[in-house]
Amino acid sequence: MKNERGKNSREKFSAKSKGKEGKSFVAKRSKEGSRKNEFRPSKNESRGYGKETRKHVGAATAFEGVGTSEELADNFVFGFHATVEALQQGRGNKLFLQEDARGEKIDELKELAKEQAVPVKWVPKQKLDTLSDHGVHQGIVLAITPYEYLSLEELLEVGSKEEEPFFLILDSLEDPHNFGSILRTADASGVTGVIIPKHRAVGITPVVTKASTGAVEHVPIARVTNLSQAVQELKEKNFWVFGTDMEGTNYQKWNTTGAIALIIGNEGRGMSQGLKKEVDELLTIPMTGHVQSLNAGVAAGLLMYEVFRKRGG
């Protein structure tokens, strides 16, 4: 560790306690102009986006013009839970249901769509297969407004509302199922926000959204051009930055007090050498078996819940 930690070793992160009112966060979203979504107490209290009125335009175009995986990633989510969350957060443009779909879940979606003034269209299964890129859509696909990432500055504003913010930094994660699983655990364990690189890494796709079971709508995500610069900026804001490696301090001895950020490396390569030079301390998860490393999602889950446990659950 580069610096000794102590009461006076760093100024306390400028923040106020999260308290009962939860996060008060304003993020810019743009579709036909700028809008504001607020993190404010609502159904999900400290972790949910506030609802907003949206103009449901371009849904037919998104449906008819679909062709590439990139377009699918920008315009659609599928599956029941991901669709419910997107509708509740006001991101739906048009709901596509399998023509023979029936049941309570379908009725719930139809009611949500009606509340949000989202049109519903009944289509053959083959059309849903195309829209979901042959994912497990459960007879449900929702055309949405494209996901808008936060800037690092906006994410730091989120952190300033918490006494001890905890950011997760994903170093070039490539597996959308891992990313979705990590977001699901991040939401469950109270992670303040997630930082990902803009290039050579998975972003918010329909598969990620489905794997997160809708957690993507509740965990603030910033996308940055350069992770090393982002880490330096965090340290300037008095964050302690930790990395993961085969050789390091046993994670059970991890000092999780204060404003902290944890880096999870790529599934195959681990953390980049450049980022290793930037961290204050490397952590390791002891193993006695024959494998050399844990799945990135599993390792991230263990470490997120270690913070959760040490901070009193």
Side-chain angles (χ1 to χ4, degrees), residues 264-279:
I264 300 295
N266 173 272
E267 291 94 343
R269 302 183 300 273
M271 276 181 59
S272 65
Q273 291 301 314
L275 281 180
K276 280 186 180 181
K277 296 176 182 178
E278 299 290 341
V279 302

Side-chain angles (χ1 to χ4, degrees), residues 17-70:
S17 175
K18 181 168 61 174
K20 294 182 179 179
E21 294 187 356
K23 296 176 182 171
S24 174
F25 160 66
V26 176
K28 296 179 181 177
R29 289 182 179 269
S30 59
K31 184 185 177 190
E32 296 191 344
S34 296
R35 293 185 176 91
K36 292 183 179 180
N37 279 343
E38 296 184 359
F39 275 98
R40 67 180 188 270
S42 62
K43 176 182 174 183
N44 295 298
E45 287 300 324
S46 64
R47 306 201 67 75
Y49 284 103
K51 292 184 179 179
E52 61 174 332
T53 303
R54 293 181 178 272
K55 295 179 181 178
H56 303 291
V57 296
T61 303
F63 175 70
E64 299 297 338
V66 65
T68 67
S69 294
E70 185 175 354

Side-chain angles (χ1 to χ4, degrees), residues 149 168-174 179 194-204 221-228 230 264 275:
Y149 300 92
L168 200 64
I169 302 172
L170 305 181
D171 182 11
S172 303
L173 220 63
E174 297 173 349
F179 189 17
V194 176
I195 301 170
I196 63 173
K198 185 176 291 185
H199 306 293
R200 295 181 296 278
V202 66
I204 301 302
I221 302 169
R223 190 162 64 166
V224 300
T225 303
N226 188 302
L227 283 182
S228 292
I264 300 295
L275 281 180

Side-chain angles (χ1 to χ4, degrees), residues 8-198:
N8 301 315
S9 59
R10 289 195 184 201
E11 294 180 10
K12 190 163 186 171
F13 182 81
S14 176
K16 52 188 177 183
S17 175
K18 181 168 61 174
K20 294 182 179 179
E21 294 187 356
K23 296 176 182 171
S24 174
F25 160 66
V26 176
K28 296 179 181 177
R29 289 182 179 269
S30 59
K31 184 185 177 190
E32 296 191 344
S34 296
R35 293 185 176 91
K36 292 183 179 180
N37 279 343
E38 296 184 359
F39 275 98
R40 67 180 188 270
S42 62
K43 176 182 174 183
N44 295 298
E45 287 300 324
S46 64
R47 306 201 67 75
Y49 284 103
K51 292 184 179 179
E52 61 174 332
T53 303
R54 293 181 178 272
K55 295 179 181 178
H56 303 291
V57 296
T61 303
F63 175 70
E64 299 297 338
V66 65
T68 67
S69 294
E70 185 175 354
E71 287 170 339
L72 288 169
D74 285 343
N75 296 320
F76 295 94
V77 297
F78 55 86
F80 177 74
H81 293 292
T83 299
V84 167
E85 292 293 341
L87 282 171
Q88 288 178 337
Q89 306 311 324
R91 294 185 64 212
N93 280 334
K94 192 169 187 177
L95 177 62
F96 299 96
L97 297 175
Q98 192 168 312
E99 54 191 2
D100 59 351
R102 299 290 184 273
E104 291 183 5
K105 289 184 177 181
I106 297 299
D107 292 339
E108 181 180 342
L109 287 173
K110 287 165 58 181
E111 187 61 32
L112 273 174
K114 182 179 179 180
E115 291 174 5
Q116 296 286 340
V118 174
V120 178
K121 185 170 183 177
W122 299 86
V123 298
K125 179 179 181 297
Q126 291 82 355
K127 186 64 70 173
L128 296 180
D129 291 340
T130 300
L131 293 175
S132 65
D133 200 19
H134 298 278
V136 183
H137 53 68
Q138 300 172 300
I140 304 160
V141 175
L142 179 69
I144 60 169
T145 54
Y147 187 87
E148 297 273 343
Y149 300 92
L150 306 186
S151 66
L152 182 59
E153 289 70 27
E154 288 171 325
L155 191 62
L156 283 167
E157 179 64 22
V158 177
S160 71
K161 305 300 188 297
E162 297 193 5
E163 188 172 359
E164 293 185 306
F166 173 27
F167 290 153
L168 200 64
I169 302 172
L170 305 181
D171 182 11
S172 303
L173 220 63
E174 297 173 349
D175 187 333
H177 293 94
N178 270 339
F179 189 17
S181 174
I182 286 171
L183 289 176
R184 186 175 181 177
T185 308
D187 180 51
S189 59
V191 170
T192 308
V194 176
I195 301 170
I196 63 173
K198 185 176 291 185

